[in-house]
Amino acid sequence: NAGVTQTPKFRILKIGQSMTLQCTQDMNHNYMYWYRQDPGMGLKLIYYSVGAGITDKGEVPNGYNVSRSTTEDFPLRLELAAPSQTSVYFCATSPNPGLLSYEQYFGPGTRLTVT
Amino acid sequence: AQSVAQPEDQVNVAEGNPLTVKCTYSVSGNPYLFWYVQYPNRGLQFLLKYITGDNLVKGSYGFEAEFNKSQTSFHLKKPSALVSDSALYFCAVRGSWGKFQFGAGTQVVVTP
């Protein structure tokens, strides 16, 4: 099992460009999340999904969009990149609560720089 | 709404000494609590959780945590710290709709 995979690992964008961060999981988890982590800071929730076709905003959704057409994939779209979006982005998953296994599983992250 | 507080930005401890990282929480209903560790340039790794049952939970790498309902705390502990335990530690609580609230993180520095 690969777990949670994220691509790319690194990316440099120019201001105003757009890109999609990919997140794929093979654990059949219903819940998926996107976080950003700024240097020396904790995690901030951007968007999350409780299942295919269902997404909702987190704390810091402005400037981002998501979609969830399948259980496995949860891409994060950045439109019109800004320097304030320079951060490390983590995707995470969590199983349905019924199995008493509530913890999240994290991908390795995507380091994004906007200049 | 749920919240988590980690009152210490950094904890310094000598190798071989006990390590404690503090966490307090606020949540309506039963708390589902977690500790994660993050090594430099890596994602977060799950250490342990409290869902129900025994107040003392054991996790990976010799870590344990004590759930205290009256003090709304979930402190992470290790009896004898190693230099390799130096990392960033996050406490988290799971709330409604599967959303997690993370603390700001505590940097642990273990000196030889």
Side-chain angles (χ1 to χ4, degrees):
Chain A
N1 284 352
V4 183
T5 57
Q6 291 183 240
T7 56
K9 287 186 169 53
F10 305 94
R11 184 73 186 267
I12 299 175
L13 280 182
K14 294 189 184 304
I15 295 171
Q17 289 185 322
S18 301
M19 75 164 293
T20 299
L21 282 68
Q22 301 290 348
C23 176
T24 300
Q25 55 115 347
D26 62 0
M27 296 180 287
N28 200 32
H29 287 172
N30 279 8
Y31 294 84
M32 295 189 75
Y33 313 80
W34 274 107
Y35 294 94
R36 59 177 287 171
Q37 184 180 31
D38 298 329
M41 305 290 284
L43 298 173
K44 294 181 180 178
L45 181 65
I46 305 171
Y47 272 95
Y48 70 105
S49 169
V50 301
I54 307 170
T55 62
D56 205 353
K57 297 177 181 178
E59 301 173 69
V60 290
N62 291 345
Y64 307 94
N65 275 302
V66 294
S67 59
R68 183 97 182 270
S69 56
T70 67
T71 298
E72 294 78 18
D73 300 304
F74 191 40
L76 178 71
R77 177 82 177 163
L78 277 71
E79 306 282 2
L80 297 175
S84 61
Q85 294 178 303
T86 293
S87 190
V88 180
Y89 292 83
F90 290 103
C91 179
T93 72
S94 182
N96 266 353
L99 300 174
L100 288 184
S101 177
Y102 296 81
E103 64 267 25
Q104 288 182 310
Y105 298 79
F106 283 81
T110 294
R111 189 174 298 272
L112 176 67
T113 301
V114 182
T115 63
Chain B
Q2 66 268 18
S3 66
V4 173
Q6 293 181 242
E8 302 152 318
D9 291 337
Q10 183 164 314
V11 170
N12 298 299
V13 63
E15 188 173 33
N17 281 0
L19 169 64
T20 298
V21 186
K22 296 179 179 176
C23 172
T24 59
Y25 67 89
S26 173
V27 65
S28 55
N30 293 325
Y32 299 153
L33 298 161
F34 306 83
W35 277 101
Y36 292 85
V37 61
Q38 185 181 31
Y39 297 101
N41 301 312
R42 303 289 294 275
L44 275 69
Q45 297 177 31
F46 168 72
L47 277 179
L48 49 79
K49 65 187 175 189
Y50 174 82
I51 303 299
T52 186
D54 197 352
N55 289 344
L56 184 65
V57 293
K58 296 188 183 296
S60 307
Y61 313 120
F63 284 94
E64 57 190 28
E66 186 167 12
F67 170 66
N68 188 316
K69 188 172 184 177
S70 62
Q71 296 185 4
T72 61
S73 66
F74 189 54
H75 300 331
L76 181 70
K77 300 180 181 183
K78 187 170 184 180
S80 179
L82 301 172
V83 172
S84 57
D85 293 328
S86 298
L88 187 57
Y89 291 80
F90 290 98
C91 182
V93 62
R94 180 172 175 143
S96 58
W97 297 106
K99 290 171 68 173
F100 285 73
Q101 185 70 45
F102 284 82
T106 298
Q107 184 70 47
V108 169
V109 178
V110 183
T111 51

